[in-house]
């Protein structure tokens, strides 16, 4: 139950925080600027244009879009942890869930900087730091944990 609460809290949090719309807006901005770069390079050689556009794509992907996505994931973890706690699920069980996920995907994940999600280790460390706040929020609603 607590594992399901972890996932549902996280996914509901994406909707509550409007992450889908933000991601679409960021993608549109990335494309618009890319079009501007292409126009600005229109009088350059094909090779120069190709190198510049490849560099633009890499810089915006690894320096902008992926970190942006990881920040959304971390925000959804934070909100989701609080939601699960308010619903009566011990937020410490989110750690157990992510440890189980890490064990099931050991060695299969790309390096964190190349991923849309924080690494399992980062996610677990972040959640551990957030547990006291989630419990405090739940306590405001009379929820306590053993």
């Amino acid at each position: 139950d607590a594992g399901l609460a972890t996932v549902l809290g996280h996914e509901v949090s994406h909707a509550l925080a409007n992450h889908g719309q933000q991601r679409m807006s960021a993608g549109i901005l990335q494309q618009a600027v890319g079009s501007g770069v292409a126009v600005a390079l229109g009088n350059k050689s094909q090779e120069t244009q190709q190198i510049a556009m490849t560099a633009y794509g890499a810089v915006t992907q690894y320096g902008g879009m992926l970190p942006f996505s990881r920040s959304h994931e971390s925000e959804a973890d934070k909100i989701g942890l609080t939601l699960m706690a308010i619903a009566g699920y011990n937020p410490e069980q989110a750690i157990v869930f992510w440890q189980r996920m890490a064990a099931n995907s050991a060695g299969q994940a790309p390096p964190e900087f190349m991923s849309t999600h924080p690494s399992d280790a980062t996610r677990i460390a972040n959640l551990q730091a957030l547990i006291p706040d989630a419990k405090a929020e739940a306590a405001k609603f009379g929820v306590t944990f053993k």
Side-chain angles (χ1 to χ4, degrees):
D1 287 356
L4 183 58
T6 300
V7 173
L8 290 176
H10 174 91
E11 296 304 329
V12 166
S13 297
H14 279 303
L16 291 173
N18 217 9
H19 290 161
Q21 181 181 8
Q22 291 174 23
R23 184 155 174 100
M24 286 180 64
S25 295
I28 290 168
L29 178 62
Q30 181 188 33
Q31 289 177 348
V33 173
S35 295
V37 170
V39 168
L41 295 170
N43 62 348
K44 304 293 182 186
S45 72
Q46 189 68 27
E47 182 181 13
T48 299
Q49 289 179 37
Q50 188 174 11
I51 290 168
M53 292 309 293
T54 299
Y56 172 78
V59 167
T60 59
Q61 184 69 8
Y62 294 107
M65 297 301 284
L66 291 176
F68 186 61
S69 182
R70 287 190 300 273
S71 72
H72 280 172
E73 290 299 320
S74 294
E75 183 180 36
D77 284 344
K78 178 181 180 179
I79 296 167
L81 194 70
T82 300
L83 291 176
M84 76 179 282
I86 290 170
Y89 293 94
N90 187 337
E92 293 174 10
Q93 291 300 306
I95 303 302
V96 174
F97 172 82
W98 285 109
Q99 288 170 335
R100 194 168 53 243
M101 291 293 287
N104 287 335
S105 65
Q108 296 176 9
E112 187 170 39
F113 81 93
M114 295 177 75
S115 178
T116 57
H117 290 65
S119 68
D120 292 329
T122 297
R123 179 171 256 158
I124 289 166
N126 290 345
L127 288 169
Q128 286 174 328
L130 293 168
I131 287 172
D133 291 339
K135 286 183 173 183
E137 285 298 314
K140 293 177 184 178
F141 294 91
V143 179
T144 58
F145 307 99
K146 295 177 186 177

